């Protein structure tokens, strides 16, 4: 029997891909607060800090977050878009490899393919750091998992073949989305382009702006319902596997 691959959605864009005990974590965001945002879900358990490989998709603060990264051991391997390596070295990581679209890296039992993403290149208005955003396809245990980071639709999504699970963002951390993001309808379109065996919606229902209110806004929990309806309209509902933050699914 092949080694199973287990996927855990930790929250926001943070996912854990476990291949027989080799742990790949994406865009770690594991603090109660991030700038003006507050986490509305429980923090991940401490054992998540024992990752073997970090995949970083782009340099925005909620995806390359130094305080969260420092909770992982500094000897972990890190793949990050070209131009962002210095940020990781300043955070104390030595095993940093900058990557470009088209790269393939084999480490432990997994091979990682670097694929395009359609998103802003800068870190923000107070930083001069720029790096071309990327996505990743993680291959291991005979399975292929697509993690796009933040992205809008792009034609080459149709070139992503034999994807067993697509971890697709469907929202963000506020009531509206800027350019370079998938909303529920566009994420359903992406599902149709990629045709994965399974789609797990991520990047929703984790952080929201601190406004002093205890009640969560309506937009916080609605995205998966809208995504499910969009998939149903596209005759793709059977591919949906909905997880709450902390939930897992195995790909045997």
């Amino acid at each position: 029997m092949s080694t199973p691959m287990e996927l855990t959605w930790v929250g926001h864009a943070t996912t854990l891909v476990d291949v027989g005990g080799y742990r790949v974590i994406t865009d770690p965001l594991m603090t109660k607060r991030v700038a003006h945002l507050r986490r509305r879900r429980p923090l991940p358990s401490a054992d998540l800090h024992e990752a073997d490989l970090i995949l970083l998709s782009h340099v925005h603060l909620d995806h390359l977050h130094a305080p969260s990264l420092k909770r992982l051991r500094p000897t972990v391997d890190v793949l990050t878009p070209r131009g962002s390596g210095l940020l990781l070295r300043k955070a104390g990581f030595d095993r940093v490899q900058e990557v470009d679209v088209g790269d393939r890296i084999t480490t432990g039992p997994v091979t990682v393919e670097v694929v395009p993403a359609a998103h802003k290149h800068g870190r923000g208005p107070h930083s001069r750091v720029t790096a071309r955003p990327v996505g990743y396809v993680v291959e291991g245990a005979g399975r292929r998992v697509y993690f796009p980071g933040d992205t809008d639709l792009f034609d080459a999504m149709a070139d992503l073949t034999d994807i067993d699970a697509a971890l697709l963002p469907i929202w963000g951390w506020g009531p509206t989305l800027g350019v370079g993001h998938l909303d529920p309808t566009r994420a359903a379109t992406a599902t149709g382009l990629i045709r994965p065996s399974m789609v797990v919606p991520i990047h929703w229902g984790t952080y929201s702006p601190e406004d002093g209110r205890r009640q969560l806004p309506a937009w916080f929990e609605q995205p998966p319902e809208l995504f499910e309806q969009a998939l149903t309209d596209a005759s793709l509902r059977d591919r949906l596997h909905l997880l709450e933050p902390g939930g897992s699914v195995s790909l045997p």
Side-chain angles (χ1 to χ4, degrees):
M1 182 176 180
S2 63
T3 301
M5 176 186 284
E6 184 174 73
L7 308 178
T8 301
W9 180 41
V10 180
H12 202 58
T14 308
T15 64
L16 184 70
V17 181
D18 188 311
V19 182
Y22 186 89
R23 295 152 65 89
V24 182
I25 191 169
T26 67
D27 291 354
L29 195 63
M30 303 186 291
T31 57
K32 191 66 177 176
R33 292 184 180 274
V34 181
H36 66 297
L37 306 177
R38 181 159 70 92
R39 190 178 180 101
R40 307 291 182 154
R41 304 283 190 170
L43 288 170
S45 60
D47 68 336
L48 191 67
H49 303 168
E50 295 299 319
D52 298 289
L53 175 64
I54 301 171
L55 302 181
L56 297 172
S57 65
H58 64 289
V59 296
H60 283 163
L61 182 63
D62 59 325
H63 290 256
L64 197 164
H65 184 241
S68 292
L69 287 165
K70 289 178 180 179
R71 297 189 174 201
L72 285 86
R73 53 188 176 84
T75 55
V76 66
D77 290 318
V78 184
L79 301 185
T80 192
R82 186 163 303 281
S84 60
L86 183 60
L87 292 174
L88 279 300
R89 294 183 182 95
K90 284 183 175 179
F93 294 93
D94 296 322
R95 299 171 62 89
V96 178
Q97 182 173 346
E98 296 187 340
V99 297
D100 295 300
V101 171
D103 289 347
R104 286 180 64 87
I105 298 96
T106 297
T107 174
V110 303
T111 296
V112 179
E113 178 184 357
V114 185
V115 298
H119 195 60
K120 292 181 179 179
H121 290 207
R123 183 156 172 80
H126 305 297
S127 173
R128 295 182 179 180
V129 174
T130 61
R132 179 185 179 185
V134 300
Y136 298 96
V137 175
V138 180
E139 302 178 8
R143 295 290 179 264
R144 286 166 53 85
V145 175
Y146 171 49
F147 169 73
D150 274 353
T151 190
D152 208 332
L153 291 169
F154 57 91
D155 292 341
M157 279 185 173
D159 298 330
L160 299 171
T161 58
D162 300 323
I163 300 298
D164 295 286
L167 307 168
L168 292 187
I170 63 169
W171 201 252
W173 48 256
T176 60
L177 287 171
V179 296
H181 294 87
L182 296 177
D183 62 15
T185 301
R186 294 168 77 78
T189 300
T191 304
L193 289 172
I194 301 165
R195 311 298 293 187
S197 300
M198 174 192 301
V199 59
V200 178
I202 64 171
H203 208 268
W204 65 273
T206 311
Y207 289 88
S208 69
E210 179 61 86
D211 58 8
R213 302 178 186 177
R214 299 185 65 181
Q215 186 174 359
L216 291 172
W219 58 261
F220 188 82
E221 295 180 335
Q222 283 181 342
E225 299 174 11
L226 299 175
F227 183 50
E228 182 175 9
Q229 184 58 57
L231 288 175
T232 299
D233 294 343
S235 300
L236 295 167
R237 170 62 182 81
D238 60 322
R239 300 170 194 251
L240 176 63
H241 194 101
L242 183 62
L243 296 176
E244 292 289 324
S248 301
V249 59
S250 291
L251 305 179

